[in-house]
Amino acid sequence: QVQLVESGGGLVQPGGSLRLSCAASGNIFSINGMGWYRQAPGKERELVATITSGGSTNYADSVKGRFTISRDNAKNTVYLQLNSLKPEDTAVYYCNAGVIYYTGLYYSLDAWGQGTLVTVSP
């Protein structure tokens, strides 16, 4: 009933930038917190950044000052601007959203996207 679709990943050189987008679609009534997580090869999935419906943000220490999360509530979309990228930022990036959707009744869903690969390499 609800889908999250990420886009914007790719190959970039160290020091470069990328912008990830994640659009939610379906019978959405409202979206609470949204966020980005990442999983590097051989590692656990980790939090990158979150944003509340009111715009309050939280970042992992490793990305503070380099990454910026934002959202467009009218478009049910969350963005992640990645600047000053480092090889250690290489990972599959997943978006996450706390969604309330309606199909005759209201349901709560912790939704995940399929992931988009970011590779930082010379």
Side-chain angles (χ1 to χ4, degrees):
Q1 298 294 339
V2 174
Q3 279 190 314
L4 300 184
V5 179
E6 298 114 332
S7 61
L11 174 64
V12 63
Q13 292 185 340
S17 298
L18 283 174
R19 189 189 194 212
L20 308 183
S21 299
C22 173
S25 62
N27 299 324
I28 296 170
F29 175 75
S30 66
I31 301 178
N32 298 319
M34 303 183 82
W36 289 93
Y37 293 73
R38 67 186 181 185
Q39 187 167 19
K43 294 189 175 181
E44 299 280 324
R45 189 174 297 189
E46 63 176 2
L47 170 74
V48 176
T50 61
I51 185 168
T52 68
S53 57
S56 296
T57 58
N58 179 58
Y59 295 92
D61 287 343
S62 59
V63 307
K64 280 181 182 176
R66 301 188 298 121
F67 292 6
T68 303
I69 189 171
S70 61
R71 64 189 283 174
D72 184 333
N73 291 330
K75 295 182 179 180
N76 290 332
T77 299
V78 63
Y79 306 96
L80 187 68
Q81 179 67 42
L82 296 74
N83 295 330
S84 303
L85 282 160
K86 304 174 181 179
E88 52 263 42
D89 295 317
T90 295
V92 177
Y93 284 70
Y94 298 90
C95 72
N96 171 257
V99 178
I100 307 295
Y101 67 97
Y102 180 78
T103 58
L105 294 174
Y106 291 95
Y107 296 92
S108 176
L109 175 67
D110 187 29
W112 290 88
Q114 82 287 352
T116 186
L117 177 63
V118 172
T119 303
V120 185
S121 179

